[in-house]
Amino acid sequence: MLKPILLVEDNPNDLELTLIALSKSQLANQVVVMRDGAEALDYLHRRGEHATRVAGNPAVVLLDLKLPKVDGLEVLKDIRETDSLKPLPVVMLTSSKEEQDLVRSYELGVNAYVVKPVDFTDFVRAISDLGIFWAVLNEPPPGSQRYIKPPKN
Amino acid sequence: MNKAINAELLDLSNCAKEPIRTPGSIQPHGFLLALSDELTVLQASANLGDWAGCSAAAVVGGPLAGVIGEDGVQRIVAQLGPELGSHPFYAGTVGIRSKRHFDVLAHRWDRVTYLEFEPVDRAEAADFRHLYPLIGDFLLKVNEAGSIQMLAQQACEHVRAVTGYGRVVAYQFDPDGHGHVMAESLEAGYHAYMGQHFPATDIPAQARELYLLQHIRLIQNADYHPAALVPALNPLTQQPNDLSFAALRSVSPVHLQYMRNMETLASMSVSLIVKGKLWGLISCHNRDPKPVGFEKRTACEQLGQILALCIESREDARELQFRLEVRRIMVAMLAGLTQGSNFIDNLSSVFPDLLRFARAAGAAIVVDDRILLHGDTPGKEEIAALVDWLARSEHGDLYHTDNLSRAWPPAAAMVRNASGLLALPISRIHKHYLLWFRPEYVHTIEWAGNPREKEAADKALHGAPLQLSPRTSFASWRETIHGSSVRWHAGELELALEFRTALLGIVLERAEQMAELAGELGRANKELEAFSYSVSHDLRAPLRHIVGFSDLLLESAGSEDAVQRQRFLKNIKESARLAGKLVDDLLSFSQMGRAALRPTEVDMNDLVNSCIHKLAPETRGRDIEWDVAPLPVVWADPTFLHLALSNLLANAVKFTGQREMARIRISADDHAQETVFHVDDNGAGFNMDYVHKLFGVFQRLHRMEDFQGTGIGLANVRRIVERHGGRVWADSVLGESASFSFALPKHEDEDEADDGAQADNPTKQ
């Protein structure tokens, strides 16, 4: 069973484009979409609306930097400060080339930082490469596999 | 400078142990009696027999009448009131057994009444009347005299006319105590001293003190043999009598030798006391012994007082004039200094005034390692070294010298243009100085005798200078002074300190302005950062979307999915629209920071109505209940305030979009310092956890598809309100209501503005 990819994106256009790009990469992973940082954290912590979801971390989080309410950096910080979420690969997806965002992201322990290319072909390739690397090629740290449990039903 | 004199005086007074106040004897051209309160003779001068025909020893212990007879006692006692003081007072003229007549001067000091008897040729009382015309004439001349020197000249002429001395000079003491002969009246055959200097050492400190206490002294014959007091000690105190105020007081033998060396057997000096200080002396010399009667001495004393008063008023006027001029220059400079933004540049722009201010030939501004020069100054390296020395030494708020190389030997290399230095530190922390330089003033001093020669002779004779051995030569001797500048005037120093205070004020104000400016710049920078961040982030997104969906559209050109194509097209259109709106909003936001506010009276009711009217296209078809409370008039920029209010009302309209019945209420609270406005709605509200992000640029608390917006509106509101000196805040119950508030400070001059408005339009209430 492949772990899902968690996509956190509030902008509907970006969401659609990213989903199209992911589908073009023909990844078999399920893509879970959260529309803002607060919701993403609820999902990861299995609380609120997501209290009942199956335990286990996604294969990778594709995290938009600018999100309403709780932004990408705050989500990243929360992930790195939570023991059970710490090993989770996080890729920051952003329109920003601002150095401060980049520096801050790496300080907080991001695994990759990707500036969304303006050109759509490049965008598709970037998303596809990301998906393949993190969801397929990347060997997760030992132990993280244990979180994957077969669905109950 | 004063310190230097004091130190010198102190030093001299330590050396000069001569008991000039308690010589134990008198000059023999009269006789003296010391009396108890009961008029018993306590002491008498040993020369009593010469004048009164009875021995001193015989009268001591007896009544006054034993010396001057009952008649004399009657005549004198009537004058000896309880108010008898230390100043000798003419008590009358008495005849004594030998039929000689004497003027009697009385004074009381140390519990003793002193009577001094000076022989006169007349039998009747002294008459001052024939001296009045002389004084009257002097007073007339005083009014005509143009300068202090001319005044002194007149005084010398008059004193010589009254006394008949061969030479009368007036001399003025310089700050170092040297006397300079500034006026002179001579009888033919007398050597002239005009223009010459007498060294300070000629008059020991205690002699100067006596000159202050007693304004006239007479030495009738320098070859006199002093008459001792009998008994030698005051019987009441068992101490030598203090004869400071006695007209007949015997003087120091050193001084008598000095007079003989000067070929002057009679002398008289009148103190010129200006503002409580010994300004100078009128000094009278005569080759042969010469008596001067009490009434003539009194006339001379009065003349000296009048002269001193005139000097005081002229010096005051001159000083005032000088200070006024310096102050005028200072004020002009300060006005110049507050003009531009760069303080240092400003200072260098008033360089010519800086020179005139301190009557200097060169000036320098030193700001750490930067040195700006003007006029005739030493080189930058020399000045840097000088400033290092200044910074190392504790000089307080002001340092000045008229002989820099004496204080700091390396300055010997720059005596030409920097013999005089006035240094003003303008920072306690940094090496910031204002420096003025005065060039070397090479001048010659004509001494009446070489003052160094005496020291040298004393040294040769005794191995050390002997202060009390009088010099023997009064032959004029020229000394050329090198390495010093014109002295700094006390007024210049005081005003320099004042200037420093003003400078520090300006510097401080500048620093405050800079801090304010830095704060403003900091804010502007932050906004700029947010701006460029937004341009790179938020503006890039819609462009990417346009490109992305266009590519997808091209890709799907052949496909049958018309619905998808429609959506792509719609996305492109929306993204383009959003990009346009973003650019507009960003522009308006950036303008907000630049445009000047033009505050005026704004009627908030009108403003709200106009905003609601403008919102009509967006509210069409909606059921909105507007509840507008009576609103006050505020002091604000109407255009900006309109924008802020529009944003708030548009927000309320937007976030109540999912309500069947939208209720929007606009109200105001009046407070002492500010007016608070609220815009309340029953819309979607927001999560209070994120309220701190609400007013940030490009911060959105809702998803794009739920509520459209660029995230600039509330940032604009905050910016506008803050530029008015106000504040904004918000409150909400998520899903139920939101309340946005802003406070505008009340205008300080609002009352005046009201008055003005009423004056213009009396019918307005």
Side-chain angles (χ1 to χ4, degrees), chain A residues 11 13-14 16-17 20 24 35 39 66 68-70 74 95-96 98 100-101 116-118 120, chain B residues 533 536-537 540 544-545 547-549 551-552 555 567-568 571 575 690 693 698 700-701 703 705:
Chain A
N11 187 299
N13 287 337
D14 271 332
E16 183 162 8
L17 290 174
I20 289 171
K24 278 180 186 273
R35 299 301 309 280
E39 205 178 277
K66 284 217 97 178
K69 298 184 225 177
V70 181
E74 287 168 309
S95 298
S96 169
E98 290 297 300
Q100 51 173 14
D101 287 340
K116 295 173 188 169
V118 170
F120 184 65
Chain B
Y533 182 90
S536 87
H537 186 279
R540 202 185 295 249
R544 198 176 62 242
H545 301 155
V547 174
F549 288 112
D551 280 353
L552 283 172
E555 241 177 59
R567 204 180 56 248
F568 288 170
N571 286 348
S575 296
Y690 311 115
K693 294 185 169 183
F698 294 109
R700 306 180 68 257
L701 297 189
R703 284 180 206 147
E705 64 267 33

Side-chain angles (χ1 to χ4, degrees), chain A residues 6-138:
Chain A
L6 175 61
L7 175 61
V8 191
E9 177 62 79
D10 73 311
N11 187 299
N13 287 337
D14 271 332
L15 182 60
E16 183 162 8
L17 290 174
T18 310
L19 288 175
I20 289 171
L22 282 172
S23 72
K24 278 180 186 273
S25 70
Q26 302 189 326
L27 284 170
N29 303 59
Q30 183 200 352
V31 178
V32 176
V33 177
M34 294 295 144
R35 299 301 309 280
D36 63 46
E39 205 178 277
L41 285 174
D42 283 352
Y43 175 85
L44 288 171
H45 285 285
R46 298 171 63 227
R47 64 193 181 201
E49 275 182 52
H50 305 279
T52 57
R53 80 160 173 94
V54 176
N57 286 342
V60 63
V61 181
L62 301 181
L63 188 59
D64 186 30
L65 189 76
K66 284 217 97 178
L67 294 166
K69 298 184 225 177
V70 181
D71 68 27
L73 288 172
E74 287 168 309
V75 174
L76 174 62
K77 190 162 180 280
D78 189 295
I79 289 172
R80 291 300 176 240
E81 282 171 358
T82 307
D83 281 344
S84 61
L85 298 175
K86 215 175 272 175
L88 180 59
V90 176
V91 177
M92 202 63 90
L93 272 183
T94 175
S95 298
S96 169
K97 272 188 191 168
E98 290 297 300
E99 201 176 290
Q100 51 173 14
D101 287 340
L102 193 79
V103 169
R104 188 87 185 104
S105 297
Y106 277 109
E107 274 174 4
L108 290 173
V110 81
N111 297 81
Y113 188 96
V114 177
V115 178
K116 295 173 188 169
V118 170
D119 183 273
F120 184 65
T121 318
D122 294 343
F123 182 78
V124 170
R125 190 177 303 127
I127 296 295
S128 157
D129 288 353
L130 272 177
I132 290 167
F133 180 81
W134 290 105
V136 181
L137 296 177
N138 182 50

Side-chain angles (χ1 to χ4, degrees), chain B residues 275-297:
Chain B
K275 289 186 177 160
K277 290 201 179 99
L278 190 63
W279 183 93
L281 293 173
I282 294 177
S283 189
C284 314
H285 312 135
N286 207 51
R287 223 171 264 140
D288 305 312
K290 184 162 201 61
V292 180
F294 176 72
E295 73 273 34
K296 291 184 178 177
R297 300 206 302 269

